[in-house]
Amino acid sequence: METVKIDGAPVDMNDPCALYQALYAIKLKRIAGESVEEGEIASPVTRRRMRYATVSLADLDAELSRLAGACNAKNGKRWRGAASFHF
């Protein structure tokens, strides 16, 4: 079992479902404004304040989509996109 720390918690890198849950929690924090850093650059003439994050939401969404597919495949579910129908 190979683990990585995500937001301070150990997560099994070989379990797409656990990775999905951990990264989804990170996404919710990003949307809420957490995990965004601020910095300031000052010179004798100007002062500039910047906000930045370590990963873009588009990259995070792409990885979440990939992990959701892998998790569904691991659990025997077929996943084709945003909508799934069960009868």
Side-chain angles (χ1 to χ4, degrees):
M1 180 170 102
E2 193 173 340
T3 61
V4 64
K5 281 195 174 190
I6 298 178
D7 202 24
V11 179
D12 181 5
M13 288 182 56
N14 298 317
D15 183 359
C17 301
L19 282 170
Y20 179 89
Q21 290 177 345
L23 291 180
Y24 189 75
I26 296 293
K27 179 181 177 179
L28 292 178
K29 286 182 178 183
R30 284 282 313 280
I31 291 170
E34 294 181 31
S35 301
V36 175
E37 302 293 327
E38 288 191 21
E40 188 171 281
I41 299 173
S43 73
V45 181
T46 63
R47 176 172 271 164
R48 180 182 276 179
R49 191 160 198 79
M50 298 181 305
R51 296 184 65 162
Y52 57 93
T54 56
V55 67
S56 72
L57 284 176
D59 290 342
L60 195 53
D61 284 338
E63 184 62 11
L64 284 170
S65 178
R66 186 190 72 76
L67 288 170
C71 180
N72 286 333
K74 175 184 173 187
N75 293 325
K77 297 179 185 174
R78 290 177 55 182
W79 188 72
R80 294 185 190 148
S84 63
F85 299 96
H86 301 281
F87 295 99

